[in-house]
Amino acid sequence: MKKAVACIACMIALFCVGYLLGRQHKGNDAEGNVTMKVDTVIVIDTVVRETPVIREISVIRHDTVRIETIRHDTVQVAMPVERKVYSEDSLYFAVVSGWKPSLDSLIVYPKTIFVNREKITFHEQRKWLIGISAGPSVLVTTDGKLHGGLGVTAGLTYRF
């Protein structure tokens, strides 16, 4: 009975030592090579406004203009010089000025940039691995008897 308890205690101790060694090894290998993958997509959309929205009209000054009449006479007329502001949200902003100014159409090409960043970690894996394990073993003989014991195994692995 003492032998069985000593054998189980030894197996538990070996298991704990193997667990701690494997955990320490994993901590050293987990860093690996870190790279950033940056994917940039540029989208240019066309916005066409056939009749832009007037937000503000103001008279800047009056200019005197000479106009010829039908009888070849000239008349001086004060014409207002206007300033018109066209805007719609943050989509566009346009200012025109002059005598009877108008903006016929407006085409805007807003540029939208999407940047996706992804962190990629590569782990360098070793090609040759050595493993050692220990544990209980059971042996069945040809005459049907069972024999128990403690077994130790060593292995070598190669990764392609």
Side-chain angles (χ1 to χ4, degrees):
M1 185 66 174
K2 274 186 167 184
K3 262 187 171 180
V5 171
C7 185
I8 291 174
C10 183
M11 284 190 295
I12 291 174
L14 288 173
F15 174 79
C16 291
V17 168
Y19 175 77
L20 292 174
L21 288 174
R23 187 172 176 182
Q24 181 184 10
H25 175 70
K26 182 180 176 186
N28 290 339
D29 194 54
E31 294 168 6
N33 298 328
V34 178
T35 60
M36 289 293 286
K37 179 183 176 188
V38 179
D39 185 23
T40 304
V41 178
I42 298 174
V43 178
I44 298 177
D45 192 17
T46 304
V47 179
V48 178
R49 292 290 184 256
E50 291 297 326
T51 55
V53 180
I54 298 175
R55 295 292 177 195
E56 177 186 330
I57 299 175
S58 60
V59 177
I60 299 172
R61 66 182 184 275
H62 290 280
D63 280 346
T64 304
V65 179
R66 292 182 178 217
I67 299 176
E68 286 192 26
T69 62
I70 297 174
R71 296 183 181 202
H72 301 291
D73 194 13
T74 59
V75 177
Q76 290 186 355
V77 180
M79 297 288 204
V81 176
E82 295 179 338
R83 178 179 181 258
K84 291 185 180 180
V85 177
Y86 297 85
S87 67
E88 183 179 329
D89 298 331
S90 62
L91 188 60
Y92 65 85
F93 180 81
V95 177
V96 293
S97 61
W99 180 65
K100 284 189 169 181
S102 65
L103 185 61
D104 296 331
S105 66
L106 181 66
I107 299 174
V108 181
Y109 301 99
K111 182 194 265 189
T112 306
I113 299 174
F114 298 100
V115 179
N116 299 324
R117 295 170 196 241
E118 186 178 345
K119 183 178 179 182
I120 301 173
T121 305
F122 295 101
H123 298 287
E124 291 184 21
Q125 297 194 2
R126 298 189 177 131
K127 289 196 175 246
W128 290 96
L129 299 173
I130 299 173
I132 299 173
S133 63
S137 63
V138 177
L139 176 65
V140 180
T141 59
T142 54
D143 57 348
K145 292 185 181 180
L146 295 175
H147 297 283
L150 181 65
V152 178
T153 308
L156 181 64
T157 306
Y158 178 75
R159 290 187 190 170
F160 294 99

